[in-house]
Amino acid sequence: MKDIQMVDLKTQYERLKRRIDPAMADVISSCAFIKGPALKEFESNLSAYLGIKHVIGVANGTDALQIALMALNLNPGDEVIVPSFTYVATAEVIGLLGLKPVMVDVDINTYNIDIEEAATRITSKTKAIVPVHLYGQSAPMEEILFFAAKNNLYVIEDNAQAIGGNYKMTDGTVAKTGTLGDIGCTSFFPSKNLGCFGDGGAIFTHNDELAAQIRMIANHGQPQKYVHKVLGVNSRLDTLQAAVLNVKLEELDDFAFRRQAVADRYDDGFKTNKHIICQRKVEYSDHVYHQYTVRITNGQRDQLQEYLKSKNVPSMIYYPIPLYEQEAFAKYYNGEPHEVTKQLSREVISFPIHTEMESETQDYIINTINLFFDK
Ligand SMILES: *Cc1c(COP(=O)(O)O)cnc(C)c1O
């Protein structure tokens, strides 16, 4: 058996090498490293895949979120709602722009933002909401869009963990996650579901004006060369990364399928384990399993992780310290309870999941985990 890894990027690369290497070699031999043809091609391929009008490549997922927020032209002190159980980037960029992240608790079964609680936190300064589709399953977008329309909020989807997912509206229409709000953001960090060979990200929108604003901000605020209309940033998706992504995008549905098969095998393996509660699957969205994350309910999560380490089974805690407990966010925290986020930070654990998992390896992982509870 190979060494077990959280994410096996190497085997995936070996499988796709025959297509990726020539695509990269083309960019290198043309030396079109910045805004080369492969980037345009990728933006257009991704927009066709997602069924969205505009895709703008940027340098990483955090920049995507920051530029999306900059495009909204909010005023200092304006408030933006975010879940308190998420990766730091979601809330960090809000604070960086002089806006106020309003951290809201999440749902215990889906780990996604609790809209009932969000409704209690609306003020005259609330201007936007950034739902996160945590671990690869969409937040309840229909409910969020209704809530946003009622309160006149922009919706920016943090789709860094859920690219490729499908969202089913109650009227039966299906749309890709990240395309339902005003703006969608994603990351192509190597371990993400659609990962490149370094940093990368993208922003998507149906809205022509927002798209123009986003392109301008990402390019030093220039509507045309050497004309600077607003303060912008320099954030580009490298052509080399776009070449990798062009190949991998063709595999994205297969990647999701492979991840789902791994998740199903875990679900099955833990069915009779009364100390493990799996993430609830919702009807309105499929799950593309950026992470396979469960709750350990006997208070032994950290001991389980230690034990797994001794058996060479890696595991991760996403996320061990809630945002509102972080020093950097202390000034945005007003003492609300965040009971669920607190509980999740103590109970969640993520097990290895990737596109190259072998069933023999996974059975060893499952058996090792279950054995811990039988001791
Ligand atoms: C990865 C991630 C980001 C940031 O993406 P980077 O490319 O690492 O900047 C933002 N939000 C979430 C939920 C993420 O998982």
Side-chain angles (χ1 to χ4, degrees):
M1 205 169 66
K2 283 193 286 195
D3 274 357
I4 306 174
Q5 295 175 289
M6 277 305 281
V7 185
D8 183 353
L9 294 175
K10 194 149 190 269
T11 309
Q12 190 194 69
Y13 167 62
E14 280 159 7
R15 189 159 62 80
L16 302 174
K17 183 177 160 62
R18 267 177 306 172
R19 286 154 61 202
I20 293 178
D21 287 4
M24 293 184 83
D26 273 356
V27 177
I28 295 168
S29 58
S30 73
C31 290
F33 298 116
I34 302 293
K35 300 205 167 164
L39 174 62
K40 274 217 179 69
E41 208 182 301
F42 174 65
E43 288 181 341
S44 124
N45 290 343
L46 184 58
S47 87
Y49 173 85
L50 293 173
I52 196 153
K53 198 163 172 195
H54 305 279
V55 169
I56 299 120
V58 293
N60 56 67
T62 308
D63 274 10
L65 290 161
Q66 178 178 326
I67 294 165
L69 281 164
M70 288 170 81
L72 303 181
N73 267 320
L74 304 181
N75 292 312
D78 280 350
E79 297 175 5
V80 180
I81 294 174
V82 283
S84 52
F85 191 61
T86 181
Y87 182 56
V88 64
T90 320
E92 179 180 42
V93 293
I94 299 169
L96 260 182
L97 294 173
L99 306 167
K100 181 180 175 194
V102 174
M103 298 171 280
V104 166
D105 210 359
V106 296
D107 179 83
I108 188 71
N109 298 305
T110 64
Y111 321 146
N112 277 322
I113 194 163
D114 178 346
I115 292 303
E116 267 175 46
E117 168 149 348
T120 68
R121 308 286 297 283
I122 292 279
T123 74
S124 60
K125 293 197 157 200
T126 317
K127 297 292 159 60
I129 178 168
V130 187
V132 180
H133 306 322
L134 202 69
Y135 305 143
Q137 183 170 255
S138 182
M141 284 307 294
E142 208 157 353
E143 199 187 332
I144 289 168
L145 293 174
F146 181 79
F147 167 77
K150 196 171 137 200
N151 294 288
N152 208 7
L153 310 179
Y154 287 106
V155 179
I156 299 180
E157 294 178 71
D158 182 344
N159 198 36
Q161 303 190 356
I163 192 155
N166 295 298
Y167 196 92
K168 302 164 198 77
M169 306 295 259
T170 39
D171 69 2
T173 55
V174 175
K176 288 286 177 190
T177 57
T179 68
L180 293 151
D182 296 289
I183 305 178
C185 295
T186 203
S187 163
F188 304 124
F189 186 81
S191 62
K192 297 279 156 89
N193 288 33
L194 180 59
C196 62
F197 289 177
D199 278 306
I203 306 175
F204 2 109
T205 183
H206 286 293
N207 182 311
D208 297 341
E209 275 166 46
L210 283 175
Q213 193 73 8
I214 289 164
R215 279 206 188 276
M216 180 173 77
I217 291 167
N219 185 26
H220 294 294
Q222 302 181 99
Q224 64 194 81
K225 208 163 173 62
Y226 300 124
V227 176
H228 303 274
K229 195 170 160 193
V230 295
L231 294 180
V233 296
N234 173 26
S235 189
R236 292 185 283 245
L237 179 61
D238 285 346
T239 313
L240 267 174
Q241 303 302 349
V244 174
L245 291 164
N246 271 325
V247 176
K248 285 210 186 180
L249 179 60
E250 289 174 5
E251 300 298 314
L252 187 56
D253 288 342
D254 181 59
F255 289 168
F257 181 76
R258 288 164 177 258
R259 287 173 178 276
Q260 284 156 354
V262 175
D264 287 348
R265 203 176 182 91
Y266 276 134
D267 281 350
D268 209 46
F270 302 139
K271 223 167 28 198
T272 57
N273 189 324
K274 62 179 193 300
H275 302 295
I276 296 183
I277 298 186
C278 302
Q279 186 181 4
R280 181 179 293 168
K281 287 195 239 171
V282 298
E283 283 154 36
Y284 47 76
S285 165
D286 53 12
H287 199 320
V288 294
Y289 290 101
H290 174 56
Q291 300 297 343
Y292 183 84
T293 305
V294 300
R295 287 163 50 208
I296 305 298
T297 56
N298 68 349
Q300 306 261 302
R301 192 266 317 262
D302 293 345
Q303 290 87 335
L304 168 64
Q305 190 171 37
E306 277 303 305
Y307 163 86
L308 291 177
K309 206 165 153 190
S310 74
K311 303 286 179 194
N312 299 315
V313 174
S315 61
M316 294 292 282
I317 311 298
Y318 302 112
Y319 298 95
I321 306 171
L323 279 185
Y324 60 87
E325 280 183 20
Q326 303 283 358
E327 204 178 329
F329 290 87
K331 65 177 170 187
Y332 306 115
Y333 180 49
N334 302 316
E336 306 83 16
H338 295 278
E339 293 296 352
V340 177
T341 290
K342 188 185 291 176
Q343 184 180 346
L344 290 174
S345 69
R346 290 175 188 156
E347 290 185 345
V348 291
I349 186 164
S350 305
F351 300 135
I353 191 164
H354 51 79
T355 59
E356 316 301 316
M357 181 73 85
E358 284 167 6
S359 30
E360 183 202 17
T361 310
Q362 195 182 355
D363 289 343
Y364 170 78
I365 299 171
I366 293 169
N367 290 334
T368 309
I369 293 165
N370 283 333
L371 267 175
F372 170 79
F373 297 96
D374 291 342
K375 280 184 301 166

